[in-house]
Amino acid sequence: AKPEPSLRELTVGATRTPLAPASRATVSGRCVDEDGEPLANVPVSLQGWPSSTPALEQFEREHGAIAWQDPPDAVSDVDGRFAHRFDPPPPFRFRVTARAPGRVRVYQRWSSLAPGSSTDLGDLVLVRGVAVLGVLVDEQGAGVAERSVMLALLERRLPPTGDELRRFDSASVRSDARGVFVVEDPLPAGVYRISVDGCRVL
């Protein structure tokens, strides 16, 4: 008797070529502080998105629709180590982000990751950052509400992370009804340019 068609066979259609089961890719590393001490319980997220609309459309025409969902965060253990294991769709880009309270977020991204590949990021150094908040006021001292505030790093006070690992060194937030703005995550120490949408900063 002919076996029942699988869900994959039903969805890809007769004119498409189903992909063979792929080996899982691995992205791993270790979260540490400025002194190289391990940081435990750091959530490390993995995001994937299509590299381009034409590439995605061509892939899905040939192989069927991609059912991608970002996996749950990998949490660093007592030694600071973490690992993501997943099946990477070929026409996807990926980014890994580590985020700890009071520390500057770090990330790395790739234009693609091959099935079965193993990527070791080594030590992800999460340095202590600077909390940033303030109040927008006009020339009479009244709060300026609902304005976008942009901060961009001009001069770094921390050593660079190298070519691979990157730090979040800019932010875009919005003032509330009183003119108060708060940057959600700490920023690296340094000199910043501050600009406000529709206003000249005095």
Side-chain angles (χ1 to χ4, degrees), residues 45-58:
S45 63
L46 171 72
Q47 297 89 32
W49 65 96
S51 56
S52 70
T53 300
L56 178 64
E57 291 176 347
Q58 179 179 350

Side-chain angles (χ1 to χ4, degrees), residues 4-13 18 67:
E4 290 293 323
S6 67
L7 177 61
R8 180 72 174 172
E9 291 169 335
L10 289 171
T11 54
V12 298

Side-chain angles (χ1 to χ4, degrees), residues 56-73:
L56 178 64
E57 291 176 347
Q58 179 179 350
F59 182 89
E60 293 189 330
R61 281 195 302 270
E62 296 174 353
H63 304 290
I66 294 175
W68 169 263
Q69 185 174 2
D70 292 344
D73 292 348

Side-chain angles (χ1 to χ4, degrees), residues 99-186:
R99 179 178 182 174
R103 297 183 179 275
V104 180
R105 280 189 293 167
V106 295
Y107 69 100
Q108 173 57 305
R109 57 192 178 194
W110 302 267
S111 58
S112 65
L113 288 171
S117 62
S118 180
T119 303
D120 185 358
L121 291 170
D123 286 353
L124 280 67
V125 182
L126 284 81
V127 300
R128 293 196 178 276
V130 181
V132 179
L133 66 160
V135 185
L136 298 183
V137 295
D138 62 18
E139 291 155 303
Q140 287 72 46
V144 179
E146 303 299 329
R147 295 281 186 170
S148 293
V149 183
M150 286 72 69
L151 298 98
L153 182 64
L154 296 177
E155 180 184 327
R156 183 181 290 111
R157 298 276 176 81
L158 294 171
T161 58
D163 295 333
E164 297 298 321
L165 193 64
R166 305 180 184 186
R167 295 189 180 112
F168 280 84
D169 56 10
S170 62
S172 178
V173 295
R174 197 166 184 84
S175 62
D176 65 13
R178 301 169 298 162
V180 175
F181 65 90
V182 179
V183 177
E184 182 179 0
D185 290 295

